[in-house]
Amino acid sequence: MDYSALLDLATDLGYRLAISGAETFRVEESVNRILGAYGIVSEVFAIPNCITVSIETPDGTPMTRMRRVEEHGNDLDSVEKYSNLSRKICAEAPDVSVARQWMRETDAARVRYGFLGTLLGHFLGSGGFCVLYGGSWVDGLCAGLCGLLVAFVDRFMTDLKANSFFRILCSAFVLAFAAYGLGAAGVTSRPDSVVIGALMLLVPGLLFTNAMRDIIFGDTNSGINRVVQVILIAMAIALGTGAAWNIAGMLLPMPVSAATLVHSFFIECIACLTGCIGFSIIFNIHGPGGLLCAMGGILCWGIYRLALNLGCTDVTACFWGTLTAACYAEKMARVRKYPAISYLVVSIFPLIPGAGVYYTMHFAVRGEMDAFVERGWHTAAVAGGMAVSILLISTTVRLYSVWHRRRLAKNT
């Protein structure tokens, strides 16, 4: 057997999973299982920007491959395809040349939404969540237009090879300035709601979810790395929106944002469905999976609203909503043989504290430090409650899986 080619194959598959947005444990387990299917004991170490794979051949020759992982994407369709390829290779253990051909076929079978599809995702995602968080339909339309600006700015900055921090900072500035401009022109009476809806496009939902799952599965280095990235993104959002607020205040007659609206539960479900479908497009989820992810978002939001109506605090309600979304994601992953992360990241999006991040940074820019600390602690509590609920379900499912495999092995 060509062990060098086998090592290259496994490392390349792990690299493809990593750049598509897979969790660290999925990358490491996929590589280990592929090599294990050929009787090779391996050591795999993956962090967000690097993957290292080491083996020892039967004649005692050590071999190592290391791949630098560049910026991670949000391509969950590719995560699903490469995960399926990993399972297929493990089940059949074909000749390495055949497995390499399967990888080339998988590369060719990857599909992505075109730029028009991306624009639609940005429009629906920002507009839907603007309405969900108390904006009117006019506000939702304005947020959708700001979301389109985010897509154009991101593409322009990507073509210039700008780093992610600067891309997010520029996107936050442009969308916030546009929202304040629409408010000054009288088009929208809730520019804050417009900003919050459009900012959901920049909130690192996949990064946050992967960070929690990495920490849960013992990949502490990767989890902390991702948490730092989340903090840096929050800083970029703060700098961008803060600069927009200050400049707009000097150039435009800044209106006072009207009170948010209280919609019926039916309207909230329509807005939630619209926003989650938009993010399914952004995360490159195709077919019925996108609608199922959006239905998970509605379920998550429904449990959240029910908990609030039963007298729970919003932190506790977020815990129960996220717990429901995590259960839904794990169940759908096993029913459809699709990575749980695809369902989880979209389903919990309605509860991700985008408004909390915005108002926390808004108070900081205005110098209202008491309100800044209060809102910041509240936002952290919401994020912490969501993390704990994800931890409980993921850990329970993992323990059950280990117990079930041992029981089957014992019976056979």
Side-chain angles (χ1 to χ4, degrees):
M1 179 181 291
D2 188 343
Y3 293 103
S4 178
L6 176 61
L7 183 56
D8 286 338
L9 171 73
T11 305
D12 287 346
L13 182 57
Y15 170 79
R16 283 165 167 76
L17 281 168
I19 63 173
S20 298
E23 314 96 303
T24 299
F25 81 89
R26 186 181 302 279
V27 174
E28 293 181 341
E29 286 188 357
S30 297
V31 175
N32 272 322
R33 288 177 178 176
I34 288 174
L35 294 169
Y38 292 88
I40 303 297
V41 177
S42 60
E43 293 289 342
V44 183
F45 178 71
I47 55 177
N49 61 349
C50 181
I51 175 172
T52 303
V53 185
S54 297
I55 65 172
E56 184 175 313
T57 62
D59 62 2
T61 303
M63 304 178 70
T64 300
R65 294 289 186 274
M66 183 172 67
R67 292 289 301 273
R68 175 175 175 79
V69 180
E70 299 173 355
E71 186 175 351
H72 294 236
N74 296 327
D75 191 353
L76 296 183
D77 182 73
S78 292
V79 172
E80 184 265 339
K81 283 183 168 58
Y82 289 124
S83 295
N84 287 342
L85 174 61
S86 173
R87 286 192 286 268
K88 184 178 180 181
I89 293 174
C90 292
E92 302 183 25
D95 185 79
V96 177
S97 61
V98 175
R100 176 64 70 175
Q101 178 60 32
W102 289 352
M103 184 177 291
R104 286 193 289 267
E105 292 172 355
T106 303
D107 291 339
R110 295 170 60 201
V111 292
R112 289 196 62 85
Y113 292 101
F115 187 58
L116 289 179
T118 301
L119 291 177
L120 177 63
H122 280 69
F123 182 84
L124 294 177
S126 53
F129 282 115
C130 174
V131 175
L132 181 65
Y133 297 143
S136 66
W137 292 109
V138 173
D139 300 328
L141 178 61
C142 293
L145 296 176
C146 292
L148 296 180
L149 290 177
V150 171
F152 282 109
V153 171
D154 182 73
R155 181 167 184 172
F156 177 72
M157 289 296 171
T158 301
D159 290 341
L160 294 180
K161 301 188 182 302
N163 60 68
S164 59
F165 182 89
F166 191 70
R167 287 205 314 268
I168 293 172
L169 188 153
C170 292
S171 297
F173 173 82
V174 170
L175 76 87
F177 189 83
Y180 295 140
L182 290 170
V187 179
T188 174
S189 58
R190 299 175 185 84
D192 286 350
S193 296
V194 173
V195 173
I196 292 168
L199 276 182
M200 292 298 291
L201 300 171
L202 305 180
V203 172
L206 180 59
L207 197 59
F208 170 78
T209 306
N210 279 345
M212 295 304 103
R213 289 172 68 85
D214 283 349
I215 293 173
I216 289 164
F217 289 108
D219 299 309
T220 309
N221 289 334
S222 294
I224 293 175
N225 187 304
R226 295 185 198 273
V227 168
V228 171
Q229 293 181 56
V230 170
I231 294 172
L232 289 175
I233 290 174
M235 290 176 59
I237 292 174
L239 291 173
T241 55
W245 186 80
N246 280 299
I247 294 175
M250 292 185 292
L251 301 178
L252 303 172
M254 290 288 286
V256 177
S257 192
T260 57
L261 300 176
V262 179
H263 297 296
S264 67
F265 183 67
F266 176 75
I267 296 298
E268 289 180 343
C269 287
I270 295 298
C272 183
L273 178 67
T274 301
C276 288
I277 288 176
F279 277 95
S280 295
I281 295 174
I282 293 172
F283 291 130
N284 198 39
I285 301 173
H286 295 263
L291 181 59
L292 290 172
C293 291
M295 295 302 295
I298 294 177
L299 178 62
C300 175
W301 182 258
I303 296 299
Y304 167 78
R305 295 294 297 169
L306 176 63
L308 288 179
N309 291 337
L310 292 176
C312 294
T313 66
D314 57 344
V315 174
T316 306
C318 281
F319 170 85
W320 288 114
T322 306
L323 195 76
T324 303
C327 291
Y328 177 82
E330 295 290 348
K331 182 63 177 179
M332 293 305 300
R334 281 147 185 80
V335 170
R336 299 194 67 238
K337 306 300 181 184
Y338 207 96
I341 188 66
S342 303
Y343 294 98
L344 181 60
V345 70
V346 175
S347 296
I348 68 172
F349 235 93
L351 302 184
I352 289 179
V357 172
Y358 169 72
Y359 283 117
T360 298
M361 301 309 169
H362 188 64
F363 290 138
V365 171
R366 298 178 61 175
E368 300 176 18
M369 302 312 296
D370 289 341
F372 161 73
V373 172
E374 180 182 355
R375 195 63 186 239
W377 276 115
H378 182 267
T379 301
V382 170
M386 295 176 68
V388 169
S389 59
I390 295 172
L391 182 149
L392 288 175
I393 298 303
S394 297
T395 302
T396 301
V397 170
R398 193 172 183 84
L399 291 175
Y400 173 78
S401 298
V402 172
W403 173 81
H404 186 63
R405 284 196 299 267
R406 290 180 178 176
R407 183 183 178 187
L408 290 177
K410 183 178 180 180
N411 292 336
T412 57

